Amino acid sequence: MIDRLNAVEKRYNEIEVELTTPEVINDIKKMTQLSKERTGLEKTVEVYRKYKKVLADIEEAKEMLHDKDMSDFAKEELTKAEEVKANLEKELEILLIPHDPNDDKNVIVEIRGAAGGDEANIFAGDLFDMYSRYASNEGWKIEVLNAVEGAAGGYAQIEFMIKGEGVYSKLKYESGAHRVQRVPTTESQGRVHTSTATVLVMPEAEEFDFELDESEVRIDITRSSGCGGQGVNTTDSAVRLTHIPTGIIVYSQTERSQIKNKELAFKILKTRLYDLKLREQEEKEAAERKVKIGTGDRSEKIRTYNYPQNRITDHRIGYTSMNLDRVMANGDLNDLIEALINADQKKKLEESAI
């Protein structure tokens, strides 16, 4: 561990020097990349320096043990220092887990009604409300990028951006199939139905993450459809982008301005392509993928929301809580997300120990 920490501190010091050189100062891309790398190392270096100070304190206390007048004081200081050392070692173990460079990014989330018809779309709407409340609790901002409303309520599809500190680090475990068990409002016999909605969480593609060749994109301008106010169906403002090499299609119609819809559509497309690039990297890094908590297979059933029993269950980590009402009504996801983060860290620590 010490060798790895020394390497981290050495790299941190190198970056500090590089950021002062004219070559880097005049290169915005390089400056941005190095600044991000430094930020990612900063906490580890800070804790490691505290750890080295504690090691020095322990050696000093051991020397004082030989002095009869100071031995009692030295024993007390040694006990305190050993306790601090143990706590810092635990913290450093977690900090040395490979950092996901996307953790600090904003995200684009897509929710779709899947199996279950109208009830699946209604549930998709409920999930959007749940994430909106959670985002509000965290002090994050939400911007709807595209929405197709369901005939009976909710959404057949909705895409939205969440902006804030460390958004991806907390929401990256949400991708997958979410299952709901409840009596739909349309059910006259009072029978419990099972429906599903899919959630896809993608880190926002920033300027230097992905370069899009716009010559590979077909742009179609169409008339907006669905609910949206007075301007809908009267102006050609909706934008559909088709990325020819991959066949990915993005549609944006939430704004009355064609220019604004085009801007939003390109933001979604770049993020989808960046997400595709990340998925391909994960496929190649099979060993790394084994220690991840459900961020790979998008068809994986990750969670069940059982309304009759007020129960929410995350199947990946065996987490169950009887507070579904608070989760859905208040966006009270903190305990669940914390459990996912802890389980992910535990798996990675076990993997690194092999």
Side-chain angles (χ1 to χ4, degrees), residues 82-126:
E82 290 285 2
E83 185 178 338
V84 173
K85 174 176 173 280
N87 290 334
L88 288 173
E89 284 175 344
K90 289 177 183 177
E91 189 174 355
L92 285 168
E93 280 184 350
I94 293 173
L95 286 169
L96 283 173
I97 294 172
H99 177 70
D100 187 337
N102 294 307
D103 273 354
D104 296 324
K105 291 186 178 179
N106 300 326
V107 301
I108 289 180
V109 183
E110 175 195 276
I111 304 176
R112 291 175 179 261
D118 288 341
E119 170 65 4
N121 293 342
I122 292 169
F123 179 50
D126 292 339

Side-chain angles (χ1 to χ4, degrees), residues 12-255:
Y12 181 83
N13 292 334
E14 288 172 351
I15 294 171
E16 292 273 80
V17 174
E18 284 185 68
L19 286 170
T20 64
T21 62
E23 301 95 303
V24 173
I25 291 172
N26 295 321
D27 186 337
I28 296 175
K29 183 175 181 179
K30 186 67 173 176
M31 172 76 83
T32 302
Q33 290 172 338
L34 285 173
S35 296
K36 284 185 177 181
E37 187 179 355
R38 179 181 63 178
T39 300
L41 299 175
E42 206 161 29
K43 181 66 175 176
T44 305
V45 171
E46 178 189 334
V47 176
Y48 180 42
R49 287 173 178 172
K50 288 181 183 177
Y51 181 69
K52 288 195 291 185
K53 173 67 167 56
V54 169
L55 292 180
D57 291 344
I58 288 173
E59 290 305 312
E60 185 178 339
K62 286 179 178 178
E63 287 295 323
M64 290 169 59
L65 287 172
H66 302 298
D67 186 331
K68 292 181 180 180
D69 295 332
M70 299 293 291
S71 62
D72 289 343
F73 173 75
K75 287 177 184 177
E76 187 177 327
E77 290 299 302
L78 187 59
T79 300
K80 290 179 183 176
E82 290 285 2
E83 185 178 338
V84 173
K85 174 176 173 280
N87 290 334
L88 288 173
E89 284 175 344
K90 289 177 183 177
E91 189 174 355
L92 285 168
E93 280 184 350
I94 293 173
L95 286 169
L96 283 173
I97 294 172
H99 177 70
D100 187 337
N102 294 307
D103 273 354
D104 296 324
K105 291 186 178 179
N106 300 326
V107 301
I108 289 180
V109 183
E110 175 195 276
I111 304 176
R112 291 175 179 261
D118 288 341
E119 170 65 4
N121 293 342
I122 292 169
F123 179 50
D126 292 339
L127 289 175
F128 171 68
D129 291 340
M130 177 188 76
Y131 290 126
S132 298
R133 292 175 183 123
Y134 176 65
S136 178
N137 295 342
E138 294 292 308
W140 300 336
K141 302 296 182 185
I142 280 190
E143 177 187 2
V144 175
L145 304 175
N146 186 46
V148 179
E149 296 181 2
Y155 298 98
Q157 176 181 344
I158 183 167
E159 290 163 302
F160 54 99
M161 174 172 282
I162 305 181
K163 301 178 181 179
E165 185 177 344
V167 179
Y168 186 70
S169 69
K170 293 187 176 181
L171 291 181
K172 63 184 176 182
Y173 307 104
E174 295 301 299
S175 292
H178 295 238
R179 181 175 69 172
V180 63
Q181 295 174 326
R182 65 184 177 188
V183 180
T185 54
T186 55
E187 170 57 54
S188 58
Q189 304 298 319
R191 293 174 296 184
V192 173
H193 287 224
T194 298
S195 305
T196 58
T198 59
V199 175
L200 175 59
V201 177
M202 300 170 284
E204 180 190 13
E206 297 176 351
E207 185 179 355
F208 303 123
D209 289 328
F210 186 86
E211 293 184 11
L212 176 63
D213 184 352
E214 295 192 13
S215 68
E216 297 180 338
V217 180
R218 186 174 73 242
I219 304 173
D220 297 306
I221 309 301
T222 64
R223 188 151 292 182
S224 298
S225 61
C227 304
Q230 191 175 352
V232 172
N233 296 322
T234 61
T235 58
D236 292 333
S237 59
V239 175
R240 183 174 63 240
L241 304 181
T242 304
H243 186 245
I244 296 168
T246 62
I248 292 174
I249 298 174
V250 168
Y251 190 74
S252 180
Q253 63 170 10
T254 56
E255 302 291 333

Side-chain angles (χ1 to χ4, degrees), residues 251-274:
Y251 190 74
S252 180
Q253 63 170 10
T254 56
E255 302 291 333
R256 294 188 180 185
S257 162
Q258 181 188 122
I259 294 173
K260 182 64 174 174
N261 279 327
K262 183 178 177 182
E263 179 184 323
L264 292 176
F266 267 103
K267 185 187 292 288
I268 297 171
L269 179 59
K270 286 178 181 178
T271 295
R272 282 190 171 279
L273 290 170
Y274 179 53

Side-chain angles (χ1 to χ4, degrees), residues 301-348:
K301 182 187 72 177
I302 66 168
R303 194 173 298 150
T304 295
Y305 304 72
N306 186 299
Y307 276 72
Q309 298 179 21
N310 195 37
R311 185 181 70 226
I312 183 168
T313 300
D314 194 286
H315 304 289
R316 296 163 294 179
I317 59 173
Y319 174 96
T320 295
S321 179
M322 311 304 287
N323 67 339
L324 178 59
D325 52 347
R326 296 201 303 275
V327 168
M328 302 306 291
N330 305 327
D332 191 2
L333 282 165
N334 278 323
D335 289 347
L336 174 53
I337 287 175
E338 194 65 31
L340 286 162
I341 291 172
N342 290 338
D344 195 21
Q345 289 179 344
K346 182 180 178 183
K347 278 199 168 189
K348 287 176 178 174

